[in-house]
Amino acid sequence: MNVPVNEPVVTDAAKRYVMDALNTGWISSAGEYLERFEREFASYIGMKHAVSTTNGTTALHLALAGIGIGEGDEVIVPDFTIVSCLNAVLYTGATPVFVDVDPETFTLNPDLLEASITEKTKAIMPVHIYGHSCDMDPILEIAEKHYLFVVEDAAEVHGATYKRRKCGSMGTVSAFSFYSNKIVTTGEGGMVLTNDDRLAQEMRLLVNLAHSPGKRFWHEKVGFNYRLTNFQAALGLGQLQNIEEFLAHKKWLGEGYTKRLSDIEGLILPVTKDYAENVYWMYSLRVSDTLGLTRDELCGRLKEKGVDTRTFFIPLSSQPIAKQYRRKECPVSASIAATGFYLPSGLALTGEQMEYVCNAVHEVLSA
């Protein structure tokens, strides 16, 4: 058996909506599905405004540009996250400031925030990781104390909650990704959400080349061509309508893996803090020194048995493009990156596949 690390599920409704968009010719960046997807996704998260974009990276860039981040500004980002977060800051000309993360949730450590704030700091970018939320209240309190924007990266946590609040509903602006491995997908795509009327208006201007209001093809600002298409939105709308079913599957996945793997000494399973509802976007594990194999050895042997895995993100401070921005060591981030991986976690994962994966893990470690 070969078990991919992620295989999406495309609903019947999504297929119907996509075919309708294609058949009616509304395939570009206008149409009813765009309007419905933005409106219904914003409503689901609990935000007032939504602006769709081409992907999660452009969503982050649009969010930062919308709040006016630019050259001379500093943006605090967790060291352990995907490079999109770093890229979005660099696109604006601002300086990224890396902060270490919590060793259990892999998210921004609030206790380390204030030591990294300077007179140039303009925003904090908390990133929810692998389906588990950041500890948002202390982050929001620090941001309010220092008059900072909060750009909430919720790319990996569709439907997850923090103290019963939806992830993506707590920042000044939030960013989502709809890549094919996300719980709600448009193939490629993203969205920014905000309750701020002025900010929403600014991002709608920037996302579409910044045509001046009332005078098309007249540009007083540098804009972006970050528009999502109507047939991508049709796909996303059809997926969104099944999100509760998807979240139930993710809960089953997380509980099933935990039940079958909790007896293995040296394998560190994911935690869920009391404040969080984990949606297990990816079932993430770490290897300790007592396991008897390194992370790479374990993943290599699982691959031989047809089980696909992925290693964790490489810390931002370790990236060649970030060399000039390194200020402090981030030992937790480095440790997580060196020892972490995730198992097949797609919405199409079956019970038979889960059993096969867990049996393969046990067989490799007992050999």
Side-chain angles (χ1 to χ4, degrees):
M1 184 182 292
N2 289 302
V3 187
V5 74
N6 187 280
E7 185 178 355
V9 169
V10 179
T11 66
D12 290 339
K15 294 173 184 177
R16 289 197 307 272
Y17 294 161
V18 168
M19 288 308 302
D20 181 59
L22 293 172
N23 290 334
T24 58
W26 289 94
I27 61 173
S28 190
S29 54
E32 68 165 302
Y33 291 111
L34 271 168
E35 297 169 6
R36 287 181 61 189
F37 185 42
E38 290 179 343
R39 183 174 65 251
E40 292 187 23
F41 192 81
S43 176
Y44 175 74
I45 298 300
M47 295 287 268
K48 187 176 179 180
H49 302 286
V51 182
S52 55
T53 70
T54 51
N55 54 61
T57 306
T58 56
L60 283 172
H61 181 211
L62 181 65
L64 291 168
I67 60 177
I69 300 297
E71 188 173 351
D73 296 333
E74 293 180 351
V75 178
I76 293 176
V77 295
D79 190 48
F80 183 77
T81 185
I82 196 166
V83 75
S84 301
C85 302
L86 170 61
N87 287 343
V89 175
L90 296 181
Y91 294 161
T92 68
T95 298
V97 177
F98 307 126
V99 171
D100 212 352
V101 297
D102 179 272
E104 293 186 311
T105 66
F106 317 149
T107 60
L108 189 63
N109 188 336
D111 294 337
L112 304 177
L113 268 177
E114 290 202 271
S116 296
I117 294 173
T118 73
E119 70 279 359
K120 296 181 179 180
T121 307
K122 294 295 174 62
I124 303 171
M125 186 188 292
V127 182
H128 308 295
I129 291 290
Y130 297 148
H132 194 289
S133 73
C134 301
D135 189 1
M136 288 297 296
D137 279 350
I139 295 172
L140 295 170
E141 290 169 8
I142 291 168
E144 183 177 8
K145 175 182 176 182
H146 294 275
Y147 304 100
L148 304 176
F149 296 107
V150 175
V151 179
E152 186 183 356
D153 184 337
E156 301 175 3
V157 287
H158 304 180
T161 63
Y162 171 78
K163 297 183 179 179
R164 299 186 178 181
R165 289 172 280 173
K166 283 282 197 322
C167 292
S169 70
M170 294 168 277
T172 312
V173 59
S174 61
F176 287 82
S177 167
F178 301 125
Y179 182 60
S180 62
N181 63 11
K182 299 302 189 292
I183 294 174
V184 173
T185 181
T186 59
E188 285 279 5
M191 196 173 288
V192 287
L193 304 179
T194 187
N195 288 324
D196 187 307
D197 296 345
R198 185 210 62 78
L199 177 55
Q201 182 179 15
E202 179 72 4
M203 292 190 298
R204 287 200 178 280
L205 177 73
L206 295 175
V207 78
N208 185 23
L209 300 174
H211 294 279
S212 293
K215 191 174 183 180
R216 191 170 178 81
F217 304 126
W218 184 259
H219 305 275
E220 298 177 359
K221 296 183 177 182
V222 176
F224 321 116
N225 185 354
Y226 285 173
R227 300 168 304 211
L228 192 71
T229 65
N230 191 52
F231 74 86
Q232 287 176 296
L235 173 60
L237 180 65
Q239 298 296 94
L240 177 60
Q241 291 174 351
N242 280 69
I243 191 168
E244 294 305 324
E245 176 185 327
F246 293 161
L247 293 175
H249 186 84
K250 287 290 190 178
K251 182 179 180 181
W252 164 84
L253 182 154
E255 292 176 350
Y257 272 136
T258 297
K259 178 180 178 181
R260 291 165 175 80
L261 299 174
S262 59
D263 62 331
I264 300 177
E265 183 181 356
L267 205 55
I268 305 171
L269 306 187
V271 303
T272 298
K273 296 290 190 177
D274 291 343
Y275 57 71
E277 182 179 3
N278 194 338
V279 294
Y280 296 103
W281 174 64
M282 292 295 169
Y283 191 82
S284 56
L285 305 132
R286 293 182 62 200
V287 170
S288 75
D289 294 338
T290 62
L291 188 69
L293 291 176
T294 67
R295 185 268 313 273
D296 292 345
E297 288 171 339
L298 175 56
C299 291
R301 295 186 189 181
L302 288 174
K303 185 67 174 177
E304 292 172 0
K305 291 182 174 291
V307 176
D308 197 13
T309 61
R310 289 289 185 278
T311 56
F312 276 7
F313 302 131
I314 297 173
L316 297 185
S317 61
S318 299
Q319 301 292 345
I321 59 173
K323 184 177 181 180
Q324 70 192 87
Y325 306 111
R326 296 171 191 158
R327 297 181 183 177
K328 299 178 181 178
E329 296 296 320
C330 295
V332 174
S333 177
S335 174
I336 290 168
T339 59
F341 71 104
Y342 49 84
L343 293 172
S345 303
L347 289 170
L349 187 78
T350 66
E352 181 184 10
Q353 287 176 317
M354 180 187 288
E355 288 288 350
Y356 182 85
V357 170
C358 294
N359 288 339
V361 172
H362 281 92
E363 289 169 8
V364 166
L365 294 175
S366 63

